[in-house]
Amino acid sequence: GHLGDEISSETCKLSVCFSDGSEILTRSYMNIPDTNDFHLMVLKSSGESVYDGPYGGCPEVLDVSPGSYTVSVRSAEFSRPAFDFPVFGDEQCVVVQSQGHAYVNLLCTQVNSGVRLDISPEFKSSYSDAVLYLKSSSGSLMYSFAEKRTAYFMPGAVTLLMSRGAVDN
């Protein structure tokens, strides 16, 4: 145990910031919160939480022990498909060396994907009794013929299903 105590008592520093230009990107979208309101999580490889809260509330320098850390930031929680719900953020791994100071430059990119269907009038009249669904591994959304919103999904396969009465196609 004594050796482990020595290692964990070493002080190292970890700083997290957004790369230049991230603010401009988030402001160019409507209804995206300011990056200060993004949810930031800093986890040690052991699963121990170093910081869990708003990005704007994180100290400029975190005192940590040597080891590897996962730094994750999100504009919102997103686990199931939803309409008009783009999510921005980043996730990076960083190794903090003994007595070192590690810097994480977060990028602000869209982490989910949008899908919009363009349904022709001929299709609508031919299948007027049909219901369309967009389905992924995390859930599905009913997509009406009148739908104008964008459906958002996490990366992965998205399947279009058509249901007519009790028959799925």
Side-chain angles (χ1 to χ4, degrees), residues 3 9 14 20-21 26 76 81 91 93-94 110 114 127 129-130 148 155:
L3 182 63
S9 67
L14 176 60
D20 292 344
T26 55
E91 184 171 303
C93 290
V94 62
Q110 190 169 329
Y127 300 100
D129 59 339
K148 298 280 184 251

Side-chain angles (χ1 to χ4, degrees), residues 96-160:
V96 183
Q97 305 287 351
S98 176
Q99 298 173 355
H101 191 158
Y103 296 86
V104 176
N105 278 312
L106 295 166
L107 300 171
C108 188
T109 57
Q110 190 169 329
V111 296
N112 60 358
S113 302
V115 177
R116 279 182 73 177
L117 301 178
D118 184 10
I119 306 165
S120 72
E122 296 80 17
F123 184 92
K124 292 176 189 177
S125 60
S126 298
Y127 300 100
S128 58
D129 59 339
V131 180
L132 300 177
Y133 293 92
L134 287 169
K135 185 176 182 185
S136 75
S137 60
S138 58
S140 64
L141 290 173
M142 190 177 102
Y143 203 98
S144 79
F145 287 165
E147 187 60 69
K148 298 280 184 251
R149 298 173 296 174
T150 301
Y152 283 88
F153 295 85
M154 286 308 286
V158 176
T159 309
L160 174 61

Side-chain angles (χ1 to χ4, degrees), residues 4-158:
D5 293 341
E6 275 181 36
I7 292 171
S8 64
S9 67
E10 284 187 62
T11 55
C12 308
K13 298 185 183 316
L14 176 60
S15 295
V16 178
C17 67
F18 275 102
S19 295
D20 292 344
S22 293
E23 291 287 323
I24 296 157
L25 172 72
T26 55
R27 296 245 168 83
S28 68
Y29 281 83
M30 299 306 285
N31 77 1
I32 300 298
D34 186 282
T35 50
N36 281 322
D37 297 328
F38 280 30
H39 182 221
L40 174 67
M41 282 181 60
V42 180
L43 293 176
K44 193 164 183 180
S45 57
S46 63
E48 174 194 347
S49 176
V50 176
Y51 182 81
D52 187 349
Y55 168 77
C58 185
E60 282 187 32
V61 178
L62 292 166
D63 289 326
V64 296
S65 56
S68 85
Y69 294 83
T70 300
V71 179
S72 169
V73 67
R74 291 282 182 272
S75 61
E77 293 300 314
F78 185 85
S79 59
R80 295 183 55 75
F83 285 107
D84 288 348
F85 205 85
V87 176
F88 297 84
D90 192 14
E91 184 171 303
Q92 294 184 30
C93 290
V94 62
V95 175
V96 183
Q97 305 287 351
S98 176
Q99 298 173 355
H101 191 158
Y103 296 86
V104 176
N105 278 312
L106 295 166
L107 300 171
C108 188
T109 57
Q110 190 169 329
V111 296
N112 60 358
S113 302
V115 177
R116 279 182 73 177
L117 301 178
D118 184 10
I119 306 165
S120 72
E122 296 80 17
F123 184 92
K124 292 176 189 177
S125 60
S126 298
Y127 300 100
S128 58
D129 59 339
V131 180
L132 300 177
Y133 293 92
L134 287 169
K135 185 176 182 185
S136 75
S137 60
S138 58
S140 64
L141 290 173
M142 190 177 102
Y143 203 98
S144 79
F145 287 165
E147 187 60 69
K148 298 280 184 251
R149 298 173 296 174
T150 301
Y152 283 88
F153 295 85
M154 286 308 286
V158 176

